C-alpha cells in the first residue's frame, strides 16, 4: 500500500471539502495548512442563515454573468474567504500557512490571501482571472498547480 504525499493528502481533503458546496456553477474547497496541520477549511456557499443557491437559484445565472467577472453579483462566499473567516472566528493565526484549493483564486481572494500572510498556494484547476494571477506573481507568494505524483 502506498501512502499519498502530503500535497496529495491535503488536496484530497480540499476535494472532499468542496463536496459540501451548494454552488450551482462550481464546487470549490480550500484547506489552510501549517506544519502539516489543518488550521481551517472552507467551501463556496452562502453565508450562515441564507438560503442556498441549490434551492433559490443562481443570481449569476439569472443575470448571465460570465465566470471570473462581477464577483459582487453572487450570494456566496468563495472557499478561500470562508477558510480565512473560519480561522479568524476561532482565533487561528494563518500567517505562514499554505492554502490547498481545488481552484486558483479570483482577484478578491488573491488580495485577501496576500494580506493574510499565506505563503504558498497550491491549486488543482485554473480560474479565468488574469489580474489575480498578476497580483499573486507580484506579491511573491509561491503559487503552483498541483501535480499528482506518478506511481511506477
Amino acid at each position: 500500500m502506498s501512502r499519498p504525499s502530503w500535497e496529495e493528502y491535503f488536496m484530497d481533503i480540499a476535494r472532499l471539502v468542496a463536496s459540501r458546496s451548494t454552488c450551482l456553477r462550481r464546487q470549490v474547497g480550500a484547506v489552510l495548512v501549517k506544519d502539516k496541520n489543518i488550521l481551517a477549511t472552507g467551501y463556496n456557499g452562502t453565508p450562515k442563515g441564507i438560503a442556498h443557491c441549490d434551492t433559490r437559484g443562481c443570481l449569476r445565472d439569472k443575470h448571465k454573468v460570465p465566470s471570473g467577472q462581477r464577483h459582487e453579483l453572487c450570494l456566496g462566499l468563495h472557499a478561500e474567504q470562508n477558510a480565512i473567516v473560519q480561522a479568524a472566528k476561532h482565533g487561528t493565526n494563518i500567517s505562514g500557512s499554505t492554502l490547498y484549493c481545488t481552484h486558483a483564486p479570483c482577484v478578491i481572494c488573491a488580495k485577501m490571501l496576500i494580506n493574510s500572510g499565506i505563503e504558498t498556494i497550491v491549486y488543482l484547476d485554473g480560474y479565468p482571472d488574469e489580474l489575480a494571477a498578476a497580483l499573486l506573481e507580484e506579491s511573491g507568494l509561491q503559487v503552483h498547480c498541483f501535480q499528482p505524483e506518478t506511481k511506477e
Side-chain angles (χ1 to χ4, degrees), residues 131-144:
L131 182 55
L135 285 176
L136 290 168
E137 183 176 341
E138 185 177 342
S139 75
L141 261 76
Q142 299 296 310
V143 180
H144 70 272

Side-chain angles (χ1 to χ4, degrees), residues 5 7-8 11 15 122-124 144-149:
S5 69
E7 206 166 79
E8 288 172 312
M11 192 56 76
R15 286 186 192 118
V122 181
Y123 66 91
L124 185 60
H144 70 272
C145 183
F146 172 72
Q147 299 296 323
E149 294 180 10

Side-chain angles (χ1 to χ4, degrees), residues 63-75:
H63 292 286
K64 298 179 180 13
V65 178
S67 182
Q69 298 178 18
R70 302 289 314 269
H71 298 289
E72 75 280 6
L73 290 177
C74 180
L75 298 175

Side-chain angles (χ1 to χ4, degrees), residues 90-117:
H90 296 288
T92 304
N93 180 359
I94 60 173
S95 183
S97 66
T98 296
L99 174 80
Y100 293 89
C101 196
T102 57
H103 294 76
C106 72
V107 68
I108 294 168
C109 291
K111 291 186 280 186
M112 291 177 71
L113 295 166
I114 292 165
N115 276 3
S116 66

Side-chain angles (χ1 to χ4, degrees), residues 22-97:
T22 56
C23 180
L24 298 173
R25 285 187 162 198
R26 175 186 330 248
Q27 287 69 47
V28 181
V31 181
L32 285 167
V33 175
K34 190 172 186 179
D35 299 326
K36 299 179 184 166
N37 291 294
I38 296 173
L39 304 176
T41 65
Y43 54 87
N44 57 327
T46 58
K48 188 175 179 177
I50 305 299
H52 294 282
C53 298
D54 63 353
T55 59
R56 78 181 317 150
C58 177
L59 184 62
R60 294 174 63 77
D61 282 347
K62 288 178 188 170
H63 292 286
K64 298 179 180 13
V65 178
S67 182
Q69 298 178 18
R70 302 289 314 269
H71 298 289
E72 75 280 6
L73 290 177
C74 180
L75 298 175
L77 284 88
H78 289 185
E80 304 94 323
Q81 294 168 348
N82 271 325
I84 291 169
V85 168
Q86 284 303 309
K89 181 178 176 181
H90 296 288
T92 304
N93 180 359
I94 60 173
S95 183
S97 66

